[in-house]
Amino acid sequence: MLTPEEFPYIKSLHVNDCYAYQNFDIELHNYKPFSHLILTGKNGSGKSTILRVIDNHMSYWRAAANSSLVSITSPIDIIDRLNAIIPNRAAQFGINDSVLVTWKKELDQVDRLSLSYTNLPNNIWTQNKLKTIYSFLKAKRDSHVVSVDTVTKELDFINQLQNNNSTEAFIRQFKQYLVNKKVYQAFDQIKQDQTRFAETDQFFDRLTESFRQIFEDTGLVLTFQQEYFEFFIQLSDGRQLTFDVLSEGFSALLSILMDLFMRVDLIRKQVGDYSYDPCGIVLIDEPETHLHLQLQEQVLPLLTSLFPNIQFIAATHSPAVIASIKNATIFDLTTKESRGSEETVGRSYSDLMRGHFGLSNEYSSIADDLFRQIDSILKESKDQPEALKAKLQQFFVENDAYLSPSFRVELESMILENA
């Protein structure tokens, strides 16, 4: 079994080209045994591009079966090989050659980034595919769970661990996996295999506790109706929910958990140790998708506590996400500013919106317009006390509905300083 000290976590990135920006470095802070990475930046700054290219690098380290150069598993070797042979191929067969077009696409997929690691990856990924975690959860995640009417072979799920494009399959088959576990647990009880019976109980206990955190309901229970092969999330207020009727927010978060719970459980079976926390790398594009602010605060803390040996690399627009976890490097692609989590965890969201996301203040654009109106009134009537007083009174009457206590104090302070 791999330990975090042996696993090749990403420690820095050199971005050759992410369309919007070129030629810069992202150095992860020296947390032990690794740093998480949270990418921020304006729309179009390259966050999703970088995640996608990291995914391509990981595919080569994991020996992607769909590569035309499958015998070369190192992205570095891929780049060197293609740069060497593409000019000769172009000269010999012409620029429209289908093989040449494919190779150019493969070169583009990996040449945008150079990655360095805490340990050399070499054959670690290929030799430990059934013991390591890798997943890429895209912004548009399909959280649809297929219905179940029978039990399937567990080997089908084990085979998915070796598939580079298994994330959506794991999410779709989550209910099937749970049904299999319940049915196999019944057989374990018949065989009086108390060890395996208890291991399955532990799995469902961990799953239920995670659901309780997400739904903020300590009385939540997960129930199984064997006649219909159906699971119900039973809330303490009496409501019963199935996986296919959840809101977009709960589905988005549960889709991440579905994928990782299944992978970890399968790996623990492979190594024969249900206390084992596998190492790995997980990419998440916009973990805050569809989530209420409270869940945005919870998503990464929940994931890092459940899966402590996984390095999470996320792209986000949310101050709640960047301020939520320790041991993380927060890098803004627009400004190229890098922060450690010590600089974000203790800061207010309004401070982060101004200091990290570049907003001029913590108020809305409508509030900005009200500030401008006050400024205009002050400039026009500064030397006319009676007119100034009348205009300010009229302003506060007309806009009273929009003035929160804190915003009112800001406006009054502005008037006192400039009147």
Side-chain angles (χ1 to χ4, degrees):
M1 293 183 286
L2 281 173
T3 66
E5 291 71 28
E6 298 170 316
F7 186 79
Y9 295 106
I10 294 172
K11 69 175 184 179
S12 68
L13 303 82
H14 178 77
V15 180
N16 299 311
D17 181 8
C18 65
Y19 295 112
Y21 303 109
Q22 296 83 35
N23 195 29
F24 62 95
D25 292 299
I26 302 175
E27 296 287 341
L28 276 63
H29 289 246
N30 193 31
Y31 302 116
K32 299 297 183 184
F34 59 86
S35 171
H36 304 290
L37 174 61
I38 302 177
L39 298 171
T40 64
K42 294 180 179 180
N43 288 335
S45 61
K47 299 184 298 297
S48 297
T49 298
I50 289 174
L51 291 185
R52 189 171 62 251
V53 180
I54 293 174
D55 178 55
N56 289 323
H57 276 251
M58 293 297 106
S59 294
Y60 282 114
W61 286 122
R62 289 163 55 79
N66 60 353
S67 168
S68 64
L69 301 170
V70 67
S71 61
I72 308 174
T73 57
S74 163
I76 301 166
D77 293 342
I78 287 282
I79 293 170
D80 291 344
R81 173 77 179 274
L82 289 175
N83 278 325
I85 63 177
I86 280 176
N88 292 334
R89 182 88 190 191
Q92 185 175 0
F93 294 98
I95 201 69
N96 295 320
D97 174 41
S98 61
V99 174
L100 182 64
V101 170
T102 300
W103 284 352
K104 284 186 172 182
K105 286 181 179 178
E106 296 212 17
L107 179 60
D108 181 67
Q109 286 175 350
V110 289
D111 202 20
R112 294 184 182 276
L113 277 183
S114 300
L115 301 177
S116 63
Y117 304 86
T118 55
N119 293 292
L120 289 175
N122 293 338
N123 296 319
I124 287 179
W125 281 109
T126 53
Q127 293 176 354
N128 296 276
K129 266 197 171 182
L130 297 180
K131 300 175 185 177
T132 52
I133 300 283
Y134 176 72
S135 187
F136 180 19
L137 294 132
K138 300 176 183 178
K140 295 181 179 179
R141 296 186 285 277
D142 182 6
S143 56
H144 174 68
V145 178
V146 298
S147 59
V148 179
D149 54 17
T150 187
V151 181
T152 61
K153 297 177 182 178
E154 190 170 284
L155 183 62
D156 295 340
F157 290 102
I158 295 173
N159 290 338
Q160 284 291 341
L161 283 175
Q162 303 189 61
N163 185 346
N164 286 323
N165 300 311
S166 59
T167 298
E168 290 186 5
F170 273 128
I171 295 171
R172 288 194 305 270
Q173 295 295 323
F174 184 64
K175 190 193 298 185
Q176 181 72 68
Y177 191 76
L178 298 186
V179 168
N180 284 6
K181 287 192 74 69
K182 278 294 184 184
V183 172
Y184 295 153
Q185 187 183 38
F187 287 130
D188 292 335
Q189 188 172 29
I190 292 171
K191 294 185 294 185
Q192 297 185 338
D193 189 338
Q194 296 303 316
T195 300
R196 294 199 57 165
F197 186 90
E199 289 168 348
T200 302
D201 264 354
Q202 290 175 18
F203 171 86
F204 280 103
D205 287 345
R206 286 192 295 267
L207 186 64
T208 301
E209 185 56 38
S210 298
F211 284 8
R212 287 173 178 170
Q213 290 186 52
I214 293 169
F215 286 89
E216 297 182 293
D217 186 345
T218 57
L220 178 151
V221 293
L222 189 62
T223 61
F224 176 54
Q225 289 193 0
Q226 60 189 33
E227 312 88 56
Y228 306 106
F229 288 143
E230 185 61 85
F231 278 88
F232 290 94
I233 300 170
Q234 180 78 48
L235 303 177
S236 57
D237 63 7
R239 287 179 294 159
Q240 276 193 335
L241 307 173
T242 57
F243 293 119
D244 52 358
V245 298
L246 297 176
S247 68
E248 289 288 346
F250 286 129
S251 294
L253 179 49
L254 287 179
S255 66
I256 301 174
L257 287 175
M258 291 172 187
D259 177 66
L260 297 181
F261 259 109
M262 290 170 64
R263 292 179 189 276
V264 170
D265 189 58
L266 287 166
I267 289 171
R268 285 172 172 166
K269 285 183 181 179
Q270 299 304 303
V271 301
D273 182 353
Y274 272 75
S275 65
Y276 177 57
D277 287 315
C279 302
I281 295 173
V282 171
L283 316 179
I284 311 178
D285 199 355
E286 298 183 17
E288 73 273 18
T289 297
H290 300 303
L291 298 187
H292 181 272
L293 186 60
Q294 281 186 314
L295 285 179
Q296 291 182 33
E297 292 177 320
Q298 294 178 29
V299 55
L300 287 186
L302 178 62
L303 293 174
T304 54
S305 64
L306 287 170
F307 314 108
N309 292 338
I310 290 178
Q311 181 183 41
F312 289 95
I313 299 177
T316 185
H317 295 283
S318 171
V321 171
I322 72 170
S324 66
I325 60 168
K326 299 177 181 179
N327 299 331
T329 301
I330 298 92
F331 189 90
D332 188 278
L333 292 169
T334 306
T335 64
K336 307 300 183 296
E337 292 182 353
S338 178
R339 291 179 168 87
S341 48
E342 298 89 348
E343 300 178 64
T344 58
V345 169
R347 295 171 66 180
S348 68
Y349 293 163
S350 61
D351 189 20
L352 288 171
M353 289 168 68
R354 287 177 294 171
H356 185 83
F357 288 95
L359 297 183
S360 58
N361 59 64
E362 67 265 42
Y363 297 108
S364 69
S365 57
I366 294 175
D368 288 342
D369 183 59
L370 296 179
F371 274 121
R372 285 191 290 270
Q373 289 182 45
I374 287 288
D375 185 58
S376 178
I377 291 172
L378 291 170
K379 288 178 179 177
E380 291 173 0
S381 305
K382 187 173 183 179
D383 299 325
Q384 306 170 46
E386 292 301 320
L388 177 61
K389 181 179 179 180
K391 288 180 180 180
L392 288 174
Q393 287 177 337
Q394 182 181 2
F395 171 87
F396 279 101
V397 169
E398 291 176 350
N399 296 288
D400 184 68
Y402 307 108
L403 304 182
S404 68
S406 61
F407 185 36
R408 184 182 290 272
V409 169
E410 287 275 353
L411 290 174
E412 290 172 350
S413 298
M414 180 180 177
I415 292 169
L416 289 172
E417 290 175 6
N418 295 279

PDB file of all heavy atoms in Angstrom, residues 206-230:
ATOM      1  N   ARG A 206     -20.537   5.353   7.734  1.00  0.00           N
ATOM      2  CA  ARG A 206     -19.802   6.518   7.225  1.00  0.00           C
ATOM      3  C   ARG A 206     -20.648   7.296   6.229  1.00  0.00           C
ATOM      4  O   ARG A 206     -20.663   8.538   6.237  1.00  0.00           O
ATOM      5  CB  ARG A 206     -18.482   6.077   6.574  1.00  0.00           C
ATOM      6  CG  ARG A 206     -17.393   5.659   7.555  1.00  0.00           C
ATOM      7  CD  ARG A 206     -16.050   5.516   6.863  1.00  0.00           C
ATOM      8  NE  ARG A 206     -16.064   4.426   5.895  1.00  0.00           N
ATOM      9  CZ  ARG A 206     -15.697   3.181   6.159  1.00  0.00           C
ATOM     10  NH1 ARG A 206     -15.272   2.856   7.369  1.00  0.00           N
ATOM     11  NH2 ARG A 206     -15.724   2.252   5.230  1.00  0.00           N
ATOM     12  N   LEU A 207     -21.342   6.581   5.365  1.00  0.00           N
ATOM     13  CA  LEU A 207     -22.187   7.225   4.371  1.00  0.00           C
ATOM     14  C   LEU A 207     -23.315   8.003   5.039  1.00  0.00           C
ATOM     15  O   LEU A 207     -23.587   9.161   4.690  1.00  0.00           O
ATOM     16  CB  LEU A 207     -22.754   6.163   3.424  1.00  0.00           C
ATOM     17  CG  LEU A 207     -23.557   6.672   2.221  1.00  0.00           C
ATOM     18  CD1 LEU A 207     -22.659   7.486   1.290  1.00  0.00           C
ATOM     19  CD2 LEU A 207     -24.175   5.502   1.467  1.00  0.00           C
ATOM     20  N   THR A 208     -23.965   7.375   6.008  1.00  0.00           N
ATOM     21  CA  THR A 208     -25.077   8.028   6.706  1.00  0.00           C
ATOM     22  C   THR A 208     -24.606   9.278   7.447  1.00  0.00           C
ATOM     23  O   THR A 208     -25.278  10.322   7.415  1.00  0.00           O
ATOM     24  CB  THR A 208     -25.740   7.050   7.695  1.00  0.00           C
ATOM     25  OG1 THR A 208     -26.222   5.910   6.972  1.00  0.00           O
ATOM     26  CG2 THR A 208     -26.898   7.713   8.430  1.00  0.00           C
ATOM     27  N   GLU A 209     -23.448   9.188   8.100  1.00  0.00           N
ATOM     28  CA  GLU A 209     -22.921  10.346   8.831  1.00  0.00           C
ATOM     29  C   GLU A 209     -22.622  11.501   7.872  1.00  0.00           C
ATOM     30  O   GLU A 209     -22.860  12.680   8.202  1.00  0.00           O
ATOM     31  CB  GLU A 209     -21.665   9.957   9.596  1.00  0.00           C
ATOM     32  CG  GLU A 209     -21.103  11.064  10.481  1.00  0.00           C
ATOM     33  CD  GLU A 209     -22.114  11.594  11.479  1.00  0.00           C
ATOM     34  OE1 GLU A 209     -22.914  10.798  12.032  1.00  0.00           O
ATOM     35  OE2 GLU A 209     -22.112  12.827  11.717  1.00  0.00           O
ATOM     36  N   SER A 210     -22.135  11.201   6.680  1.00  0.00           N
ATOM     37  CA  SER A 210     -21.889  12.243   5.681  1.00  0.00           C
ATOM     38  C   SER A 210     -23.192  12.891   5.246  1.00  0.00           C
ATOM     39  O   SER A 210     -23.277  14.123   5.106  1.00  0.00           O
ATOM     40  CB  SER A 210     -21.170  11.655   4.463  1.00  0.00           C
ATOM     41  OG  SER A 210     -19.917  11.127   4.820  1.00  0.00           O
ATOM     42  N   PHE A 211     -24.221  12.067   5.014  1.00  0.00           N
ATOM     43  CA  PHE A 211     -25.526  12.610   4.648  1.00  0.00           C
ATOM     44  C   PHE A 211     -26.070  13.510   5.762  1.00  0.00           C
ATOM     45  O   PHE A 211     -26.697  14.542   5.498  1.00  0.00           O
ATOM     46  CB  PHE A 211     -26.507  11.482   4.363  1.00  0.00           C
ATOM     47  CG  PHE A 211     -26.308  10.805   3.030  1.00  0.00           C
ATOM     48  CD1 PHE A 211     -25.209  11.094   2.244  1.00  0.00           C
ATOM     49  CD2 PHE A 211     -27.213   9.877   2.556  1.00  0.00           C
ATOM     50  CE1 PHE A 211     -25.017  10.479   1.022  1.00  0.00           C
ATOM     51  CE2 PHE A 211     -27.044   9.254   1.334  1.00  0.00           C
ATOM     52  CZ  PHE A 211     -25.938   9.558   0.563  1.00  0.00           C
ATOM     53  N   ARG A 212     -25.853  13.128   7.022  1.00  0.00           N
ATOM     54  CA  ARG A 212     -26.332  13.950   8.130  1.00  0.00           C
ATOM     55  C   ARG A 212     -25.672  15.319   8.136  1.00  0.00           C
ATOM     56  O   ARG A 212     -26.321  16.328   8.434  1.00  0.00           O
ATOM     57  CB  ARG A 212     -26.056  13.227   9.455  1.00  0.00           C
ATOM     58  CG  ARG A 212     -26.979  12.039   9.703  1.00  0.00           C
ATOM     59  CD  ARG A 212     -26.574  11.243  10.938  1.00  0.00           C
ATOM     60  NE  ARG A 212     -27.512  10.149  11.176  1.00  0.00           N
ATOM     61  CZ  ARG A 212     -27.320   9.170  12.050  1.00  0.00           C
ATOM     62  NH1 ARG A 212     -26.199   9.142  12.780  1.00  0.00           N
ATOM     63  NH2 ARG A 212     -28.232   8.219  12.213  1.00  0.00           N
ATOM     64  N   GLN A 213     -24.392  15.363   7.799  1.00  0.00           N
ATOM     65  CA  GLN A 213     -23.706  16.658   7.726  1.00  0.00           C
ATOM     66  C   GLN A 213     -24.255  17.503   6.586  1.00  0.00           C
ATOM     67  O   GLN A 213     -24.494  18.696   6.745  1.00  0.00           O
ATOM     68  CB  GLN A 213     -22.204  16.440   7.533  1.00  0.00           C
ATOM     69  CG  GLN A 213     -21.487  15.865   8.740  1.00  0.00           C
ATOM     70  CD  GLN A 213     -19.993  15.809   8.525  1.00  0.00           C
ATOM     71  OE1 GLN A 213     -19.361  16.806   8.156  1.00  0.00           O
ATOM     72  NE2 GLN A 213     -19.407  14.646   8.733  1.00  0.00           N
ATOM     73  N   ILE A 214     -24.462  16.876   5.437  1.00  0.00           N
ATOM     74  CA  ILE A 214     -24.927  17.613   4.263  1.00  0.00           C
ATOM     75  C   ILE A 214     -26.332  18.157   4.479  1.00  0.00           C
ATOM     76  O   ILE A 214     -26.638  19.312   4.158  1.00  0.00           O
ATOM     77  CB  ILE A 214     -24.878  16.709   3.018  1.00  0.00           C
ATOM     78  CG1 ILE A 214     -23.427  16.376   2.664  1.00  0.00           C
ATOM     79  CG2 ILE A 214     -25.576  17.375   1.837  1.00  0.00           C
ATOM     80  CD1 ILE A 214     -23.299  15.289   1.626  1.00  0.00           C
ATOM     81  N   PHE A 215     -27.214  17.320   5.020  1.00  0.00           N
ATOM     82  CA  PHE A 215     -28.609  17.726   5.222  1.00  0.00           C
ATOM     83  C   PHE A 215     -28.818  18.439   6.561  1.00  0.00           C
ATOM     84  O   PHE A 215     -29.938  18.857   6.853  1.00  0.00           O
ATOM     85  CB  PHE A 215     -29.528  16.495   5.144  1.00  0.00           C
ATOM     86  CG  PHE A 215     -29.722  15.965   3.756  1.00  0.00           C
ATOM     87  CD1 PHE A 215     -28.856  15.020   3.235  1.00  0.00           C
ATOM     88  CD2 PHE A 215     -30.762  16.423   2.956  1.00  0.00           C
ATOM     89  CE1 PHE A 215     -29.023  14.517   1.954  1.00  0.00           C
ATOM     90  CE2 PHE A 215     -30.941  15.935   1.672  1.00  0.00           C
ATOM     91  CZ  PHE A 215     -30.069  14.979   1.162  1.00  0.00           C
ATOM     92  N   GLU A 216     -27.753  18.555   7.354  1.00  0.00           N
ATOM     93  CA  GLU A 216     -27.846  19.187   8.672  1.00  0.00           C
ATOM     94  C   GLU A 216     -28.988  18.586   9.491  1.00  0.00           C
ATOM     95  O   GLU A 216     -29.823  19.285  10.049  1.00  0.00           O
ATOM     96  CB  GLU A 216     -28.026  20.697   8.531  1.00  0.00           C
ATOM     97  CG  GLU A 216     -26.838  21.371   7.869  1.00  0.00           C
ATOM     98  CD  GLU A 216     -27.003  22.873   7.769  1.00  0.00           C
ATOM     99  OE1 GLU A 216     -27.895  23.308   7.018  1.00  0.00           O
ATOM    100  OE2 GLU A 216     -26.243  23.595   8.433  1.00  0.00           O
ATOM    101  N   ASP A 217     -28.987  17.265   9.554  1.00  0.00           N
ATOM    102  CA  ASP A 217     -30.061  16.530  10.237  1.00  0.00           C
ATOM    103  C   ASP A 217     -29.431  15.330  10.946  1.00  0.00           C
ATOM    104  O   ASP A 217     -29.136  14.309  10.316  1.00  0.00           O
ATOM    105  CB  ASP A 217     -31.098  16.073   9.211  1.00  0.00           C
ATOM    106  CG  ASP A 217     -32.320  15.419   9.847  1.00  0.00           C
ATOM    107  OD1 ASP A 217     -32.250  15.056  11.046  1.00  0.00           O
ATOM    108  OD2 ASP A 217     -33.341  15.263   9.162  1.00  0.00           O
ATOM    109  N   THR A 218     -29.232  15.468  12.256  1.00  0.00           N
ATOM    110  CA  THR A 218     -28.585  14.386  13.016  1.00  0.00           C
ATOM    111  C   THR A 218     -29.463  13.153  13.146  1.00  0.00           C
ATOM    112  O   THR A 218     -28.980  12.076  13.500  1.00  0.00           O
ATOM    113  CB  THR A 218     -28.200  14.868  14.425  1.00  0.00           C
ATOM    114  OG1 THR A 218     -29.378  15.358  15.095  1.00  0.00           O
ATOM    115  CG2 THR A 218     -27.165  15.992  14.352  1.00  0.00           C
ATOM    116  N   GLY A 219     -30.745  13.295  12.853  1.00  0.00           N
ATOM    117  CA  GLY A 219     -31.643  12.154  12.943  1.00  0.00           C
ATOM    118  C   GLY A 219     -31.857  11.436  11.621  1.00  0.00           C
ATOM    119  O   GLY A 219     -32.640  10.473  11.536  1.00  0.00           O
ATOM    120  N   LEU A 220     -31.158  11.854  10.567  1.00  0.00           N
ATOM    121  CA  LEU A 220     -31.314  11.232   9.245  1.00  0.00           C
ATOM    122  C   LEU A 220     -30.877   9.765   9.291  1.00  0.00           C
ATOM    123  O   LEU A 220     -29.873   9.416   9.919  1.00  0.00           O
ATOM    124  CB  LEU A 220     -30.493  12.009   8.228  1.00  0.00           C
ATOM    125  CG  LEU A 220     -30.443  11.530   6.783  1.00  0.00           C
ATOM    126  CD1 LEU A 220     -30.220  12.713   5.848  1.00  0.00           C
ATOM    127  CD2 LEU A 220     -29.340  10.488   6.543  1.00  0.00           C
ATOM    128  N   VAL A 221     -31.635   8.914   8.606  1.00  0.00           N
ATOM    129  CA  VAL A 221     -31.249   7.510   8.450  1.00  0.00           C
ATOM    130  C   VAL A 221     -31.389   7.123   6.981  1.00  0.00           C
ATOM    131  O   VAL A 221     -32.211   7.681   6.244  1.00  0.00           O
ATOM    132  CB  VAL A 221     -32.091   6.559   9.333  1.00  0.00           C
ATOM    133  CG1 VAL A 221     -31.813   6.792  10.804  1.00  0.00           C
ATOM    134  CG2 VAL A 221     -33.581   6.721   9.040  1.00  0.00           C
ATOM    135  N   LEU A 222     -30.580   6.185   6.569  1.00  0.00           N
ATOM    136  CA  LEU A 222     -30.629   5.651   5.209  1.00  0.00           C
ATOM    137  C   LEU A 222     -31.279   4.279   5.275  1.00  0.00           C
ATOM    138  O   LEU A 222     -30.768   3.372   5.934  1.00  0.00           O
ATOM    139  CB  LEU A 222     -29.214   5.552   4.639  1.00  0.00           C
ATOM    140  CG  LEU A 222     -29.064   5.215   3.149  1.00  0.00           C
ATOM    141  CD1 LEU A 222     -29.697   6.285   2.277  1.00  0.00           C
ATOM    142  CD2 LEU A 222     -27.594   5.040   2.805  1.00  0.00           C
ATOM    143  N   THR A 223     -32.421   4.120   4.628  1.00  0.00           N
ATOM    144  CA  THR A 223     -33.163   2.863   4.705  1.00  0.00           C
ATOM    145  C   THR A 223     -33.204   2.178   3.346  1.00  0.00           C
ATOM    146  O   THR A 223     -33.176   2.832   2.304  1.00  0.00           O
ATOM    147  CB  THR A 223     -34.601   3.098   5.197  1.00  0.00           C
ATOM    148  OG1 THR A 223     -35.293   3.970   4.279  1.00  0.00           O
ATOM    149  CG2 THR A 223     -34.595   3.745   6.580  1.00  0.00           C
ATOM    150  N   PHE A 224     -33.293   0.855   3.376  1.00  0.00           N
ATOM    151  CA  PHE A 224     -33.284   0.040   2.150  1.00  0.00           C
ATOM    152  C   PHE A 224     -34.553  -0.801   2.089  1.00  0.00           C
ATOM    153  O   PHE A 224     -34.891  -1.499   3.048  1.00  0.00           O
ATOM    154  CB  PHE A 224     -32.057  -0.865   2.143  1.00  0.00           C
ATOM    155  CG  PHE A 224     -31.996  -1.817   0.978  1.00  0.00           C
ATOM    156  CD1 PHE A 224     -32.089  -1.353  -0.321  1.00  0.00           C
ATOM    157  CD2 PHE A 224     -31.842  -3.185   1.190  1.00  0.00           C
ATOM    158  CE1 PHE A 224     -32.022  -2.235  -1.405  1.00  0.00           C
ATOM    159  CE2 PHE A 224     -31.775  -4.064   0.122  1.00  0.00           C
ATOM    160  CZ  PHE A 224     -31.868  -3.585  -1.178  1.00  0.00           C
ATOM    161  N   GLN A 225     -35.284  -0.674   0.987  1.00  0.00           N
ATOM    162  CA  GLN A 225     -36.455  -1.512   0.756  1.00  0.00           C
ATOM    163  C   GLN A 225     -36.092  -2.567  -0.277  1.00  0.00           C
ATOM    164  O   GLN A 225     -35.997  -2.282  -1.476  1.00  0.00           O
ATOM    165  CB  GLN A 225     -37.647  -0.674   0.276  1.00  0.00           C
ATOM    166  CG  GLN A 225     -38.233   0.211   1.364  1.00  0.00           C
ATOM    167  CD  GLN A 225     -39.586   0.782   0.981  1.00  0.00           C
ATOM    168  OE1 GLN A 225     -40.109   0.518  -0.098  1.00  0.00           O
ATOM    169  NE2 GLN A 225     -40.154   1.580   1.869  1.00  0.00           N
ATOM    170  N   GLN A 226     -35.877  -3.784   0.205  1.00  0.00           N
ATOM    171  CA  GLN A 226     -35.354  -4.828  -0.668  1.00  0.00           C
ATOM    172  C   GLN A 226     -36.335  -5.244  -1.751  1.00  0.00           C
ATOM    173  O   GLN A 226     -35.932  -5.694  -2.825  1.00  0.00           O
ATOM    174  CB  GLN A 226     -34.967  -6.047   0.175  1.00  0.00           C
ATOM    175  CG  GLN A 226     -36.116  -6.660   0.965  1.00  0.00           C
ATOM    176  CD  GLN A 226     -35.632  -7.721   1.938  1.00  0.00           C
ATOM    177  OE1 GLN A 226     -34.529  -7.610   2.479  1.00  0.00           O
ATOM    178  NE2 GLN A 226     -36.440  -8.747   2.151  1.00  0.00           N
ATOM    179  N   GLU A 227     -37.662  -5.084  -1.494  1.00  0.00           N
ATOM    180  CA  GLU A 227     -38.637  -5.505  -2.517  1.00  0.00           C
ATOM    181  C   GLU A 227     -38.507  -4.684  -3.798  1.00  0.00           C
ATOM    182  O   GLU A 227     -38.795  -5.160  -4.895  1.00  0.00           O
ATOM    183  CB  GLU A 227     -40.072  -5.358  -1.991  1.00  0.00           C
ATOM    184  CG  GLU A 227     -40.323  -5.928  -0.612  1.00  0.00           C
ATOM    185  CD  GLU A 227     -40.030  -4.912   0.478  1.00  0.00           C
ATOM    186  OE1 GLU A 227     -40.599  -3.799   0.468  1.00  0.00           O
ATOM    187  OE2 GLU A 227     -39.190  -5.230   1.326  1.00  0.00           O
ATOM    188  N   TYR A 228     -38.078  -3.396  -3.631  1.00  0.00           N
ATOM    189  CA  TYR A 228     -38.002  -2.498  -4.794  1.00  0.00           C
ATOM    190  C   TYR A 228     -36.559  -2.146  -5.168  1.00  0.00           C
ATOM    191  O   TYR A 228     -36.349  -1.356  -6.088  1.00  0.00           O
ATOM    192  CB  TYR A 228     -38.767  -1.207  -4.496  1.00  0.00           C
ATOM    193  CG  TYR A 228     -40.197  -1.434  -4.060  1.00  0.00           C
ATOM    194  CD1 TYR A 228     -40.581  -1.272  -2.737  1.00  0.00           C
ATOM    195  CD2 TYR A 228     -41.164  -1.843  -4.971  1.00  0.00           C
ATOM    196  CE1 TYR A 228     -41.891  -1.484  -2.328  1.00  0.00           C
ATOM    197  CE2 TYR A 228     -42.472  -2.054  -4.580  1.00  0.00           C
ATOM    198  CZ  TYR A 228     -42.825  -1.887  -3.257  1.00  0.00           C
ATOM    199  OH  TYR A 228     -44.129  -2.102  -2.859  1.00  0.00           O
ATOM    200  N   PHE A 229     -35.578  -2.745  -4.470  1.00  0.00           N
ATOM    201  CA  PHE A 229     -34.183  -2.357  -4.687  1.00  0.00           C
ATOM    202  C   PHE A 229     -34.038  -0.832  -4.609  1.00  0.00           C
ATOM    203  O   PHE A 229     -33.409  -0.209  -5.458  1.00  0.00           O
ATOM    204  CB  PHE A 229     -33.665  -2.851  -6.036  1.00  0.00           C
ATOM    205  CG  PHE A 229     -33.447  -4.335  -6.086  1.00  0.00           C
ATOM    206  CD1 PHE A 229     -33.739  -5.050  -7.250  1.00  0.00           C
ATOM    207  CD2 PHE A 229     -32.953  -5.034  -5.003  1.00  0.00           C
ATOM    208  CE1 PHE A 229     -33.533  -6.426  -7.317  1.00  0.00           C
ATOM    209  CE2 PHE A 229     -32.745  -6.404  -5.063  1.00  0.00           C
ATOM    210  CZ  PHE A 229     -33.039  -7.103  -6.213  1.00  0.00           C
ATOM    211  N   GLU A 230     -34.611  -0.230  -3.571  1.00  0.00           N
ATOM    212  CA  GLU A 230     -34.638   1.224  -3.453  1.00  0.00           C
ATOM    213  C   GLU A 230     -34.115   1.674  -2.099  1.00  0.00           C
ATOM    214  O   GLU A 230     -34.358   1.056  -1.073  1.00  0.00           O
ATOM    215  CB  GLU A 230     -36.076   1.728  -3.626  1.00  0.00           C
ATOM    216  CG  GLU A 230     -36.217   3.242  -3.655  1.00  0.00           C
ATOM    217  CD  GLU A 230     -35.454   3.873  -4.805  1.00  0.00           C
ATOM    218  OE1 GLU A 230     -36.016   3.941  -5.923  1.00  0.00           O
ATOM    219  OE2 GLU A 230     -34.275   4.263  -4.590  1.00  0.00           O
TER     220      GLU A 230
END
